[in-house]
Amino acid sequence: NILAKLIFEWAHKTGSKESVEVIKGKHPSIKYKIAKKLIFDKIKESIGFDMVRMFSFGAAPIKKSTRLFFESIGIPLNNLYGLSETTGMLSGLKQSEMSEMIIHSCGRIFEGCEVIMGEENEILFKGRTCFMGYLNKPADTITVFNNDRFFKTGDIGKIGEDNHLYITGRIKELIVTAGGENVAPYPIEQKLYEFFKDLFSNIIVIGDKRPFLSVLFTIKTNTDPTKDPSDEIAKEAQQFLINKNINVNDKVSSLLKHKSSFEKLAIAIDDAISVINSKAVSNASKIKKWIILSRDLSIKNDELT
């Protein structure tokens, strides 16, 4: 078991360095070929994916770290975007285009699909696959089309280079601050995850009807026998703290009470927030306060559905 674990960790590390480049057409190294033969191919075969030529996902965002994990073991994920009202996808990549994959994008807008940005950068869609309206609900139908008969998706996004579509949030998830500014929390949360993906399990930006934005953090922990979060810090979170020269035992409660350790962690968080705030599109989009919660979120405590 220990040997198998060490081999997997080596293969995962090798894949993390090379998989995306291999997908984009780079010739794989000898190490990558060995990792593929020993680990990647066997994983796909064991779960019945050895004949699959394309792996796709949709319906909800996926964390960059999750996507990179699958790609590191030779399972590249094609991000598709669409809604029930568009009767399927309106953007994505064909198998022949996977070498042009961009991690954060939902692929290219498909031929025959017309996409423009509306108010608050809402994605608007028109095309032959767009539905005609909700059955026996004319009032609801009117509200989801603009005057030019573009369907209002409710998603916020942008069109980037080479017709790639990016989703940056949801209209309903917009934070409206006390000053009346609209702020999309998702992009801010994702930027924070890039700094702390190994440490925090949840990063939640709040600020609706408040004078400024704040962030709630929860530290990754192991689960107890009932599968609820425990006070025990997860291994990858402990390693993150060790890499930052932060002394820690294995308890969240101890970390939050240990003055010098908490101060070092606070400096790391403040530094990351300063970087993000320096690139904020407006003053309302800047984070002013943060807190680390004493435990992770759970269904048992009514924080998750």
Side-chain angles (χ1 to χ4, degrees):
N1 286 342
I2 295 175
L3 180 60
K5 183 180 179 182
L6 289 173
I7 292 173
F8 175 80
E9 288 178 351
W10 168 81
H12 171 49
K13 187 176 180 180
T14 300
S16 298
K17 292 179 179 179
E18 290 193 52
S19 281
V20 173
E21 294 303 316
V22 170
I23 293 164
K24 293 183 177 183
K26 181 182 175 182
H27 189 71
S29 68
I30 295 296
K31 285 200 301 183
Y32 185 86
K33 289 179 179 179
I34 295 172
K36 182 176 182 298
K37 184 73 174 176
L38 289 178
I39 302 296
F40 307 156
D41 290 349
K42 288 183 178 179
I43 288 175
K44 286 192 280 188
E45 184 178 0
S46 67
I47 56 179
F49 285 173
D50 51 312
M51 298 296 287
V52 177
R53 294 292 171 263
M54 176 177 282
F55 302 86
S56 301
F57 73 94
I62 190 170
K63 286 183 182 179
K64 182 180 177 181
S65 57
T66 302
R67 186 169 178 178
L68 288 175
F69 171 80
F70 279 102
E71 283 162 2
S72 75
I73 58 173
I75 300 180
L77 301 179
N78 179 24
N79 192 357
L80 304 174
Y81 172 69
L83 301 88
S84 300
E85 291 88 345
T86 65
T87 56
M89 299 87 68
L90 59 91
S91 77
L93 292 176
K94 302 173 185 176
Q95 186 178 347
S96 60
E97 297 174 326
M98 285 300 286
S99 62
E100 298 164 50
M101 180 185 70
I102 300 174
I103 289 291
H104 292 294
S105 91
C106 296
R108 286 200 184 93
I109 298 166
F110 292 137
E111 186 177 350
C113 297
E114 187 178 355
V115 175
I116 62 173
M117 297 297 122
E119 294 182 11
E120 298 175 340
N121 290 322
E122 181 179 12
I123 296 170
L124 307 180
F125 169 71
K126 183 189 285 187
R128 292 183 64 189
T129 63
C130 191
F131 82 142
M132 297 172 65
Y134 298 111
L135 185 64
N136 299 326
K137 293 184 177 181
D140 290 341
T141 299
I142 290 171
T143 63
V144 296
F145 287 97
N146 72 3
N147 294 334
D148 296 319
R149 198 61 190 177
F150 274 87
F151 170 64
K152 297 187 283 186
T153 65
D155 290 312
I156 304 167
K158 64 180 181 179
I159 300 172
E161 294 180 9
D162 210 9
N163 219 26
H164 275 259
L165 182 65
Y166 296 80
I167 311 298
T168 56
R170 282 284 295 172
I171 290 288
K172 289 181 180 179
E173 291 175 353
L174 280 178
I175 290 171
V176 182
T177 65
E181 295 272 2
N182 290 342
V183 178
Y186 180 73
I188 301 171
E189 292 165 353
Q190 289 305 300
K191 289 172 184 174
L192 283 167
Y193 269 119
E194 290 180 13
F195 285 95
F196 301 108
K197 64 182 177 66
D198 292 328
L199 178 64
F200 294 131
S201 54
N202 293 283
I203 298 176
I204 306 166
V205 174
I206 62 172
D208 204 50
K209 299 180 180 64
R210 296 168 181 260
F212 52 78
L213 300 185
S214 303
V215 184
L216 310 179
F217 296 107
T218 62
I219 293 175
K220 286 185 180 181
T221 58
N222 298 323
T223 55
D224 64 21
T226 66
K227 299 301 181 184
D228 288 316
S230 70
D231 191 39
E232 185 181 0
I233 300 174
K235 181 180 177 182
E236 62 266 38
Q238 289 191 43
Q239 188 59 52
F240 177 93
L241 295 168
I242 290 169
N243 293 342
K244 295 287 184 181
N245 294 317
I246 297 173
N247 295 323
V248 61
N249 60 20
D250 60 351
K251 304 292 183 184
V252 172
S253 54
S254 299
L255 172 63
L256 299 183
K257 291 176 183 177
H258 195 281
K259 185 177 179 181
S260 62
S261 296
F262 184 79
E263 285 177 352
K264 286 183 180 179
L265 178 55
I267 290 171
I269 294 172
D270 287 338
D271 287 346
I273 288 175
S274 294
V275 171
I276 293 169
N277 282 349
S278 69
K279 300 175 183 178
V281 295
S282 67
N283 194 52
S285 300
K286 294 181 178 180
I287 301 163
K288 300 295 177 66
K289 286 189 176 182
W290 58 267
I291 189 171
I292 298 175
L293 304 184
S294 59
R295 57 174 169 78
D296 205 348
L297 308 183
S298 68
I299 295 173
K300 177 183 177 181
N301 292 301
D302 294 326
E303 294 134 343
L304 302 174
T305 60

